[in-house]
Each structure stands twice: as C-alpha cells, then as structure tokens.
C-alpha cells in the first residue's frame, strides 16, 4: 500500500547501482507514497528486486506498453525501455478508470456523405488492476502533483483542478516526460530527440518537470478555457469517502514494512 515503508538508502544489485538525483531523507524509513512523490529511484529498485522482472513485463503489456524488444530486467523499474507517448497515455487511463485499461482508437465512427452512420467503433477495454489498487495509485499520483516533483503545476502555473501525474527523466537527460490526468482526460508530453546523442547537459534543464511539464500545463489551460470541449476543472475523482489507502488484504491497521509483506 502507499503507507508501506522501506529504508531510503543506496543499494547495489549485482553490477547495477541505481542513482538518485536527491539525497533527501537518506537512511530513513520512508513510505512508498513519499518515494513515488519524490521520484526516488532507490526505493523503486528495492521494490523491483522483490518482483520477478518477467512478471513485471507481463504487467507492462497489460497496461498497453507493447513496444518490441523490452528485456525483462531489474532496471525496468526506472523505465529505460522505449515507449511511445500513445502507449504511455493509454497505460495511464487505467489509474483514472477504476483499474480498467482503455486502448486508444483513432476513428470513432464512419458516416456517409449524408451524415448517416455506417459503423461505430468502441475502444478495447480490459481490467488490469483491481479498483482498490487503482484508488491507491490515484492517492500516490495526486501526491506527486500536490507535494512532489509535479508541484510547479500548482505554484507556478496555478492549475488547481484535481489531478494526478508523474514526471520522468532518462539517462543523460535525453528524454523528458510528463504524464498527467484529470478524472476525464489523460494526456502526456515527451520532449527529446530521435537520436539518443541529443540531450541536455544538466538535469536541472533536462528533467521532465522542467521540459515536459510546462508544455502540459499550457495545454491544459487551453483545454479548460475552451468550454466546447466539456472538461470541467471542478470535476473530482470518485474515490469512496471511506477509502483507506493504507488498507491491505491482511488486517494490520495499515502498518507494514516491505519486509513484512515480501517475507
């Protein structure tokens, strides 16, 4: 659950030692919610070390990440694989849609020259995670916006709607990502070059929060300003009022450590 705790410290897994851009709360026990909010790579790697990478790859496929050539390895937790913006946006529909993944479609209907509908198309939908798990993900991804790496949407761009999101930055600052969603709209932004040698020299300039998030912010402002689109900035996620994000299948008042769960 988002309330489970793990020690926030550098770790080595064989020949691989993930790096962190921040040393905040190093050595302390932190919640998974805090770790995701702050894009903490150490905690992500610790979690991944306890999951079979092949199983994780199957989860990626269920979420609509179908790019060819993804190798099931520990480093998948940090997103080194190729993925299109379309795939990423498709994946994030799962969190806003009660655990139901919605595949993208480009044509919703076909009409003849007189406006008669010849055929309609519906997106393919499948349940990827439980509704409860989707609510837990919403709690964490909203925290990214309200308290973490996506915070400048609030204090700089003054977007106050209820939303979730995630920043992303790849090695050598070659790719900057921001995925954001409201209860009714999921959108994504990627900044980068087709050639991996094209990159920013510093994380301060090349990170997702600096390069991709501002584009998403200006776009969402225009979406909300255009009332013909029908998106309401006051819309909220329909999380049950009595939902406890710390709950687990085992009743322990939500107080667990990662060691408790996986051992």
């Amino acid at each position: 659950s988002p309330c489970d705790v793990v020690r926030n410290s550098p770790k080595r897994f064989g020949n691989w030692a993930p790096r962190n851009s921040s040393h905040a709360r190093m050595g302390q026990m932190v919640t998974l919610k805090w770790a995701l909010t702050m894009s903490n790579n150490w905690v992500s790697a610790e979690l991944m070390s306890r999951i079979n990478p092949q199983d994780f790859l199957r989860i990626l496929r269920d979420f609509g990440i179908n790019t060819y050539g993804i190798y099931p390895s520990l480093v998948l937790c940090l997103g080194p694989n190729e993925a299109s913006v379309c795939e990423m946006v498709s994946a994030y529909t799962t969190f806003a849609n009660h655990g139901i993944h919605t595949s993208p479609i480009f044509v919703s209907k076909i009409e003849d020259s007189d406006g008669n509908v010849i055929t309609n198309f519906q997106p393919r939908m499948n349940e990827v995670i439980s509704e409860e798990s989707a609510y837990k993900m919403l709690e964490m991804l909203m925290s990214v916006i309200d308290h973490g790496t996506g915070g400048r949407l609030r204090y700089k761009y003054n977007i106050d709607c209820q939303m979730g999101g995630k920043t992303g930055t790849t090695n050598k600052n070659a790719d900057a990502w921001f995925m954001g969603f409201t209860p009714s709209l999921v959108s994504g932004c990627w900044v980068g070059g087709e050639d991996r040698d094209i990159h920013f020299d510093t994380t301060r300039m090349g990170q997702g929060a600096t390069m991709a998030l501002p584009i998403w912010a200006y776009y969402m402002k225009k979406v909300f300003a255009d009332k013909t689109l029908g998106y309401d900035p006051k819309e909220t996620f329909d999380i049950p009022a009595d939902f406890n994000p710390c709950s687990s299948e085992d009743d322990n008042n939500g107080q667990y450590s990662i060691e408790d769960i996986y051992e």
Side-chain angles (χ1 to χ4, degrees):
S1 82
C3 306
D4 296 328
V5 294
V6 64
R7 189 169 301 282
N8 176 34
S9 59
K11 297 175 177 66
R12 176 171 289 278
F13 305 92
N15 295 325
W16 179 56
R19 292 177 296 175
N20 238 16
S21 60
S22 170
H23 288 181
R25 299 188 63 182
M26 186 168 71
Q28 298 181 24
M29 300 298 288
V30 299
T31 64
L32 300 188
K33 180 178 179 179
W34 180 90
L36 186 72
T37 298
M38 299 303 174
S39 293
N40 187 290
N41 292 339
W42 294 334
V43 173
S44 294
E46 173 66 19
L47 278 177
M48 189 65 179
S49 72
R50 301 167 185 268
I51 300 172
N52 184 327
Q54 189 64 55
D55 291 338
F56 184 73
L57 179 55
R58 282 194 285 269
I59 293 173
L60 285 184
R61 298 305 190 198
D62 289 341
F63 271 85
I65 308 297
N66 294 311
T67 302
Y68 176 76
I70 300 178
Y71 181 77
S73 69
L74 207 60
V75 299
L76 275 181
C77 64
L78 304 186
N81 55 285
E82 298 289 339
S84 70
V85 179
C86 182
E87 287 177 322
M88 291 294 290
V89 172
S90 172
Y92 271 72
T93 63
T94 308
F95 306 131
N97 200 30
H98 306 281
I100 306 297
H101 169 251
T102 304
S103 299
I105 60 171
F106 296 96
V107 178
S108 58
K109 63 181 177 179
I110 297 176
E111 299 178 350
D112 63 20
S113 57
D114 296 320
N116 299 309
V117 177
I118 298 174
T119 185
N120 287 295
F121 299 93
Q122 298 295 327
R124 187 174 70 253
M125 306 175 75
N126 62 294
E127 184 176 2
V128 177
I129 55 177
S130 69
E131 189 172 43
E132 180 181 2
S133 293
Y135 291 147
K136 291 178 180 180
M137 286 303 303
L138 282 178
E139 290 280 347
M140 293 195 287
L141 291 168
M142 287 192 290
S143 180
V144 172
I145 304 301
D146 294 334
H147 309 291
T149 57
R152 65 185 73 186
L153 283 172
R154 301 296 197 203
Y155 68 79
K156 184 173 183 179
Y157 298 102
N158 301 313
I159 301 178
D160 58 4
C161 68
Q162 194 173 81
M163 57 184 163
K166 188 71 186 72
T167 56
T169 311
T170 62
N171 288 351
K172 297 184 179 179
N173 310 299
D175 303 274
W177 286 87
F178 184 76
M179 305 301 301
F181 60 93
T182 68
S184 296
L185 181 65
V186 183
S187 310
C189 180
W190 166 74
V191 178
E194 292 297 329
D195 188 331
R196 283 286 183 175
D197 288 337
I198 300 172
H199 60 86
F200 286 89
D201 290 333
T202 66
T203 300
R204 185 178 66 84
M205 289 299 298
Q207 63 183 322
T210 302
M211 290 304 304
L213 180 150
I215 298 172
W216 192 90
Y218 288 126
Y219 151 78
M220 281 304 297
K221 281 178 172 288
K222 289 189 175 183
V223 166
F224 287 137
D226 187 347
K227 301 305 179 184
T228 65
L229 297 176
Y231 293 107
D232 183 3
K234 298 187 182 301
E235 185 181 17
T236 59
F237 294 107
D238 54 350
I239 301 174
D242 60 348
F243 175 69
N244 175 17
C246 296
S247 66
S248 179
E249 292 182 2
D250 299 316
D251 185 13
N252 193 28
N253 297 320
Q255 300 302 313
Y256 295 90
S257 70
I258 295 301
E259 287 74 14
D260 293 332
I261 293 174
Y262 288 98
E263 292 178 1

